[in-house]
Amino acid sequence: MGGTAGKLQDVMKDSNNEKQIKALFRTYDKDEDGYLAEPEFKTFANDAMKVVSNMYNVSERKLDNCGGGSWEERLWKIVDSDDDGRVTYDEFRAYVVNAKQPPMY
């Protein structure tokens, strides 16, 4: 797996490298405001779906269709833990570091 999804997978498998996590967050934070708003989060959610699908051998279609709402909507509720409509670095980091099980599956 290449591109940002490949980098995300590497970080999720070995989440001890703070420098790598910060660099990955900056990759998604296109407007460099320190947050992932919905358009930026969508890119992250798509990459996260690929990673979770690959790591846990679950089809992307199944991930997107299980539970209520889309994968992106369910992931947003998990990652945006303070429900302020944007994802901070700390929220992003918490998800990446703690994503040891497939969410919402």
Side-chain angles (χ1 to χ4, degrees):
M1 182 177 306
T4 54
K7 291 176 185 177
L8 177 60
Q9 180 168 296
D10 292 345
V11 168
M12 288 173 73
K13 284 183 176 180
D14 179 21
S15 56
N16 295 323
N17 190 330
E18 192 71 29
K19 188 175 181 180
Q20 208 175 14
I21 298 169
K22 284 181 182 180
L24 185 59
F25 180 82
R26 284 192 302 270
T27 300
Y28 292 113
D29 182 18
K30 298 292 184 193
D31 61 6
E32 300 177 355
D33 66 353
Y35 301 97
L36 301 184
E38 283 195 62
E40 296 163 322
F41 185 82
K42 185 173 185 144
T43 302
F44 164 68
N46 288 334
D47 284 349
M49 180 188 285
K50 291 174 189 170
V51 170
V52 169
S53 174
N54 187 51
M55 286 175 71
Y56 300 102
N57 198 29
V58 178
S59 74
E60 290 180 25
R61 183 180 183 142
K62 191 167 189 172
L63 286 173
D64 200 34
N65 292 322
C66 69
S70 70
W71 164 266
E72 183 182 337
E73 292 166 339
R74 293 188 318 272
L75 189 61
W76 180 267
K77 289 177 184 175
I78 290 171
V79 180
D80 183 21
S81 60
D82 64 5
D83 197 29
D84 68 351
R86 58 188 185 177
V87 173
T88 64
Y89 171 73
D90 290 335
E91 291 170 322
F92 174 85
R93 184 186 179 287
Y95 173 76
V96 169
V97 168
N98 295 310
K100 303 301 181 208
Q101 297 180 24
M104 306 139 318
Y105 178 71

